[in-house]
Amino acid sequence: MHEIICPHCGKAFKIDEAGYADILKQVRDHEFEQQLHERLELAEKEKQNAVELAKNQVSSEMHKTTAAKDVEIQELKAKLDAGEIAKNLAVTEALNIVEKERNELANELEQVKRDKQAASELADAKLSKELQETAAKKDAEILELKAKLDASKVEQTLAITGAVGKVEKERDELKNNLDRAALEKQLAEKSLKDKYETQIKDRDEAIERLRDMKARLSTKMVGETLEQHCETEFNRIRATAFPRAYFEKDNDARSGSKGDYIFRDTDEADTEIVSIMFEMKNENDTTATKKKNEDFLKELDKDRTEKGCEYAVLVSMLESDSELYNTGIVDMFHRYPKMYIVRPQFFLPIITLLRNAAMNSLKYKRELALVQAQNIDITNFESDLEKFKSAFGKNYDLASRKFQTAIDEIDKSITHLQKTKDALLGTDRNLRLANNKAQDVTIKKLTRKNPTMASKFDELKDQDPTDTE
């Protein structure tokens, strides 16, 4: 069906293929008649223009020839005026020439007329030929369009038949695919059912084996088994995944408690990438008291802080029936910062995740380490300055005290010396008085009231000073 819009009323209406082809034929026939009429008019105009152009060319050539002859006649007349004989000869010759040229011009004019007639006839023949060729082309186009229309109908019929066959084939294929998909679904469901039943059976058997094994082990041995498992798993990939990592047991219990393992990883510049404090907790199913994971978080956070670790991870087999912890990695940020609880199978993945996350911030850690080193240098300088000031102050206090003690001792010595001086001054005075008294002693005073001593001194005076015993 085709939709056609009326150019006068603007109303759209639909027609079938036959009506559309009939209208298209009418339009093309009308266009063919119109084009043929226009071609005929154009050919007639070209013919008239060619005749007029030929007439104008002949008339122009005749005028040019006549003008040239007139010029030559004038020249000849001028020459005739020069001499009678020459004039006659010239006139005769000129007349012959003129007549000859006149005859030639007449012949030329006749030839032009014949050429014009021939050109006109040739134009008529050419136009007639073109009209015949155009009519033949139009007839051929009409035949070709009719053939195409018939071929189009045949192709349309074949296309419809092919499309129907294709749709039927696709329908059959879809039906077969649906049947095959349903069969595959049944087989897959059966396979998955068998697979999961086998896995459940294997898991039940593994649980029974673990229960039997844990029943034969003490609580301490179960815990050590989990630690050995984690250490073995880490050492298995240490050389390839963590070549510069430190993963050892925490043996520092100076604060009264310790974790199980400490993990530290550094880069080539020995800048720490990430550090983790691990605590491994397991519990025998036959023990009377069942512990919970949250019972160990406070102590783990304390150990993490004391050992300077960034993250804390509890690798736990406790609360084995908890859907929360059995999902894998559980963050406990709402209780303690940067703390996780994981099952043993997620021991290596949590290390890898935290390390990869820390690698993104390694650049900032390096800058922070540089700033911290600068701050440490400033802090060390300030600390050394404070130590120097403190030591200097202590030395000053000690020296000041000793100086004061020395001053006190000097003051005491001065006081003692002053007393000694005063004593010496008193002795000097006494000696001076004694000396004065000694100087004042005479024999006369000594022998006064002592006749015996007076007689002795008198005897000594009477003795010869040169006489010696």
Side-chain angles (χ1 to χ4, degrees):
M1 298 298 288
H2 295 272
E3 183 175 323
I4 298 178
I5 299 175
C6 180
H8 300 287
C9 63
K11 183 178 180 180
F13 57 95
K14 295 182 179 180
I15 60 174
D16 55 3
E17 293 290 339
Y20 180 79
D22 187 33
I23 294 175
L24 184 63
K25 181 178 181 303
Q26 294 178 10
V27 172
R28 287 181 175 177
D29 291 341
H30 177 71
E31 289 179 352
F32 173 74
E33 294 295 333
Q34 185 177 359
Q35 291 179 1
L36 181 61
H37 182 69
E38 290 176 355
R39 291 284 184 91
L40 291 174
E41 290 181 351
L42 182 61
E44 184 65 26
K45 288 182 180 180
E46 289 178 352
K47 177 181 177 182
Q48 292 178 359
N49 292 332
V51 172
E52 291 293 331
L53 179 60
K55 288 181 179 180
N56 292 332
Q57 288 179 353
V58 171
S59 177
S60 176
E61 288 177 358
M62 288 182 67
H63 284 300
K64 288 181 181 179
T65 303
T66 303
K69 297 305 178 182
D70 291 337
V71 171
E72 288 179 358
I73 290 170
Q74 292 296 329
E75 290 177 354
L76 290 173
K77 286 181 178 180
K79 289 180 181 181
L80 289 174
D81 293 338
E84 187 69 22
I85 298 171
K87 179 179 178 182
N88 293 328
L89 294 173
V91 169
T92 302
E93 185 178 0
L95 289 174
N96 293 329
I97 293 172
V98 169
E99 288 179 355
K100 183 179 179 180
E101 290 179 354
R102 182 188 62 189
N103 294 330
E104 290 177 356
L105 288 175
N107 294 330
E108 289 179 1
L109 181 59
E110 187 65 25
Q111 185 64 35
V112 168
K113 288 181 178 180
R114 289 195 299 269
D115 292 339
K116 179 180 177 182
Q117 184 67 27
S120 178
E121 292 176 354
L122 180 61
D124 292 338
K126 184 178 180 181
L127 179 59
S128 178
K129 184 179 180 181
E130 287 181 354
L131 290 176
Q132 291 176 357
E133 290 177 354
T134 303
K137 288 181 180 179
K138 293 299 179 180
D139 293 336
E141 288 179 358
I142 291 170
L143 293 175
E144 184 179 358
L145 289 173
K146 287 181 179 180
K148 286 183 179 180
L149 181 60
D150 295 334
S152 176
K153 289 181 180 179
V154 173
E155 289 177 357
Q156 185 177 5
T157 303
L158 293 175
I160 292 172
T161 304
V164 170
K166 184 178 180 181
V167 170
E168 290 177 350
K169 183 179 179 181
E170 291 178 353
R171 180 195 63 192
D172 295 337
E173 289 179 354
L174 288 175
K175 184 178 180 181
N176 294 330
N177 291 335
L178 288 175
D179 295 338
R180 187 167 55 254
L183 180 59
E184 291 176 354
K185 181 181 178 183
Q186 292 177 358
L187 294 175
E189 288 177 352
K190 183 178 179 181
S191 176
L192 288 173
K193 184 178 180 181
D194 295 340
K195 179 181 177 182
Y196 286 128
E197 286 178 352
T198 304
Q199 291 179 353
I200 291 171
K201 183 179 179 181
D202 294 340
R203 187 186 66 178
D204 292 339
E205 292 176 356
I207 290 172
E208 288 300 325
R209 288 196 301 270
L210 289 173
R211 284 178 178 174
D212 293 339
M213 182 186 70
K214 289 197 284 184
R216 291 191 297 269
L217 296 175
S218 65
T219 304
K220 182 175 184 301
M221 290 177 66
V222 171
E224 290 179 351
T225 302
L226 179 59
E227 292 179 7
Q228 291 172 0
H229 166 75
C230 293
E231 185 173 0
T232 302
E233 288 296 309
F234 182 82
N235 289 332
R236 187 167 55 83
I237 66 169
R238 180 198 288 267
T240 56
F242 307 102
R244 290 184 296 274
Y246 169 89
F247 182 76
E248 301 294 340
K249 287 185 68 67
D250 181 17
N251 296 318
D252 185 5
R254 290 176 295 179
S255 61
S257 65
K258 63 183 181 66
D260 288 332
Y261 284 89
I262 294 177
F263 170 85
R264 297 182 188 277
D265 197 8
T266 58
D267 63 356
E268 296 84 354
D270 204 26
T271 301
E272 184 175 287
I273 300 174
V274 64
S275 58
I276 308 171
M277 170 65 72
F278 282 100
E279 182 77 14
M280 285 72 172
K281 288 299 176 184
N282 202 343
E283 187 174 59
N284 196 334
D285 292 335
T286 60
T287 55
T289 305
K290 298 294 184 180
K291 295 288 186 179
K292 292 185 177 181
N293 289 319
E294 294 192 3
D295 296 338
F296 302 95
L297 299 184
K298 182 177 181 181
E299 192 70 19
L300 177 58
D301 184 65
K302 177 185 175 184
D303 295 336
R304 181 260 301 271
T305 303
E306 290 176 350
K307 304 304 166 56
C309 294
E310 183 178 2
Y311 292 93
V313 177
L314 176 63
V315 183
S316 172
M317 288 292 293
L318 306 180
E319 302 183 61
S320 59
D321 296 332
S322 173
E323 294 183 0
L324 174 63
Y325 300 119
N326 289 337
T327 56
I329 299 174
V330 180
D331 67 80
M332 303 300 293
F333 289 11
H334 60 284
R335 297 295 304 275
Y336 298 96
K338 296 186 177 182
M339 182 174 290
Y340 296 90
I341 298 176
V342 300
R343 292 303 189 198
Q345 61 267 32
F346 295 99
F347 167 69
L348 292 178
I350 189 66
I351 296 177
T352 305
L353 288 173
L354 294 180
R355 181 181 181 275
N356 292 340
M359 288 294 293
N360 296 329
S361 60
L362 181 60
K363 176 182 177 182
Y364 304 103
K365 284 190 175 182
R366 290 174 179 170
E367 295 178 356
L368 180 60
L370 179 61
V371 173
Q372 288 177 345
Q374 295 173 350
N375 292 336
I376 288 172
D377 293 339
I378 295 172
T379 304
N380 291 336
F381 176 77
E382 293 178 349
S383 177
D384 294 339
L385 181 60
E386 290 297 327
K387 289 179 181 178
F388 173 76
K389 289 168 65 177
S390 177
F392 183 83
K394 290 180 180 179
N395 293 332
Y396 175 78
D397 292 338
L398 181 61
S400 179
R401 287 196 297 271
K402 289 183 177 181
F403 181 79
Q404 188 63 38
T405 302
I407 294 296
D408 293 340
E409 293 296 329
I410 290 173
D411 289 340
K412 290 179 181 180
S413 299
I414 290 173
T415 302
H416 180 69
L417 290 173
Q418 186 65 36
K419 291 180 179 180
T420 304
K421 178 182 177 183
D422 292 342
L424 291 173
L425 289 175
T427 302
D428 181 67
R429 188 171 57 253
N430 292 329
L431 290 172
R432 189 174 64 252
L433 292 174
N435 183 49
N436 291 334
K437 288 181 179 180
Q439 294 297 329
D440 196 35
V441 174
T442 61
I443 294 175
K444 185 177 181 178
K445 289 181 178 179
L446 291 173
T447 59
R448 185 185 294 170
K449 297 178 181 182
N450 191 347
T452 302
M453 292 301 295
S455 62
K456 291 292 183 182
F457 276 110
D458 289 339
E459 290 179 359
L460 290 172
K461 288 180 180 182
D462 291 337
Q463 290 181 358
D464 186 3
T466 61
D467 186 12
T468 59
E469 297 181 0

